[in-house]
Amino acid sequence: NAGVTQTPKFRILKIGQSMTLQCTQDMNHNYMYWYRQDPGMGLKLIYYSVGAGITDKGEVPNGYNVSRSTTEDFPLRLELAAPSQTSVYFCASSYDSWAYEQYFGPGTRLTVT
Amino acid sequence: AQTVTQSQPEMSVQEAETVTLSCTYDTSESDYYLFWYKQPPSRQMILVIRQEAYKQQNATENRFSVNFQKAAKSFSLKISDSQLGDAAMYFCAYYFGNEKLTFGTGTRLTIIP
């Protein structure tokens, strides 16, 4: 049981490039989330999904896109990377709602230069 | 939007001693959920303890316990017999109804050997 896995662990992008952060969970959780964590700060919600085919914006969605074609996968797409997107990105999942424990992945450290 | 305040950016405690991390939140609701998450230097966040507001009894998990003061909107985390492995960032979080999980800005806990 791997839990929540994220790839890659580290990435350096040039301004204007695009990339997809992968997230997979093997716990059959309905809810999945993407957060970003800037240095010394808490977590900010980017997007979330309550089930396959359903996604919604969080607090800071600009510059990102998501899709949820399966229960297991929830990729985050960065279009036209900007230095402001330099951050650590965490994917998480929970069983059925926000009230349940969220299981986090190990994170992706992204630098945009 | 709800707010969660962690007024102690950093705390330190001697190994084997007890430390209390504070958290206050703003809500007009009566039935909600509160969480403490731990983020060790490896960065993967894990749940420490969860409290349902309608339960009067304070949640405990081994050496971790909370002091939940509903009227005061306070949710402090007590760590007893502190161990080196307790060194981490600790985040308090709040959830109600159809809103999203709201995190505080975190408290960095250092354990002094």
Side-chain angles (χ1 to χ4, degrees), chain A residues 4 9 35 37 40-43 45 48 57-58 88 90 98-102 104-107 109, chain B residues 33 35 37 39 42-47 50 89 91 95 97-101 103-106 108:
Chain A
V4 179
K9 286 187 169 49
Y35 295 95
Q37 185 180 31
M41 305 295 288
L43 297 172
L45 182 68
Y48 69 98
K57 296 177 181 179
V88 180
F90 291 98
W98 301 87
Y100 290 89
E101 174 183 1
Q102 291 191 20
F104 285 80
R109 183 179 296 277
Chain B
Y33 298 82
F35 307 81
Y37 279 90
Q39 186 180 36
S42 65
R43 300 182 311 174
Q44 193 155 0
M45 197 167 299
I46 57 174
L47 179 69
R50 174 179 177 267
M89 282 288 289
F91 292 95
Y95 166 71
N98 290 325
E99 298 178 6
K100 303 164 187 62
L101 191 64
F103 286 89
T105 52
R108 181 178 303 281

Side-chain angles (χ1 to χ4, degrees), chain A residues 5-68:
Chain A
T5 57
Q6 292 183 239
T7 57
K9 286 187 169 49
F10 304 94
R11 183 72 186 268
I12 298 175
L13 280 182
K14 294 189 184 305
I15 294 172
Q17 288 185 322
S18 301
M19 75 165 294
T20 299
L21 281 66
Q22 301 292 344
C23 174
T24 300
Q25 54 91 9
D26 63 359
M27 297 172 282
N28 202 33
H29 285 170
N30 289 322
Y31 280 58
M32 294 188 74
Y33 318 85
W34 274 107
Y35 295 95
R36 60 176 286 173
Q37 185 180 31
D38 298 330
M41 305 295 288
L43 297 172
K44 293 184 179 179
L45 182 68
I46 305 172
Y47 271 96
Y48 69 98
S49 168
V50 301
I54 307 170
T55 63
D56 205 351
K57 296 177 181 179
E59 183 183 356
V60 289
N62 291 342
Y64 307 93
N65 275 301
V66 294
S67 60
R68 182 100 182 268

Side-chain angles (χ1 to χ4, degrees), chain B residues 18 38 60 82 93 113:
Chain B
T18 296
K38 171 186 177 182
T60 63
S82 297

Side-chain angles (χ1 to χ4, degrees), chain B:
Chain B
Q2 309 303 331
T3 57
V4 176
T5 302
Q6 294 180 249
S7 59
Q8 307 151 315
E10 297 186 0
M11 292 278 287
S12 61
V13 63
Q14 206 80 28
E15 193 175 2
E17 298 294 310
T18 296
V19 64
T20 298
L21 310 184
S22 67
C23 172
T24 58
Y25 54 94
D26 175 30
T27 186
S28 58
E29 307 299 336
S30 61
D31 191 10
Y32 48 87
Y33 298 82
L34 296 162
F35 307 81
W36 277 100
Y37 279 90
K38 171 186 177 182
Q39 186 180 36
S42 65
R43 300 182 311 174
Q44 193 155 0
M45 197 167 299
I46 57 174
L47 179 69
V48 175
I49 206 160
R50 174 179 177 267
Q51 174 83 42
E52 299 174 29
Y54 67 87
K55 291 186 177 178
Q56 297 296 319
Q57 190 172 2
N58 288 328
T60 63
E61 287 289 339
N62 300 315
R63 297 181 296 106
F64 297 85
S65 61
V66 297
N67 183 6
F68 174 45
Q69 300 289 329
K70 193 170 185 178
K73 299 177 186 176
S74 171
F75 183 60
S76 59
L77 175 69
K78 186 172 85 170
I79 306 174
S80 304
D81 185 27
S82 297
Q83 300 175 1
L84 294 177
D86 296 334
M89 282 288 289
Y90 287 83
F91 292 95
C92 180
Y94 162 97
Y95 166 71
F96 163 76
N98 290 325
E99 298 178 6
K100 303 164 187 62
L101 191 64
T102 301
F103 286 89
T105 52
T107 296
R108 181 178 303 281
L109 179 64
T110 301
I111 310 297
I112 303 167

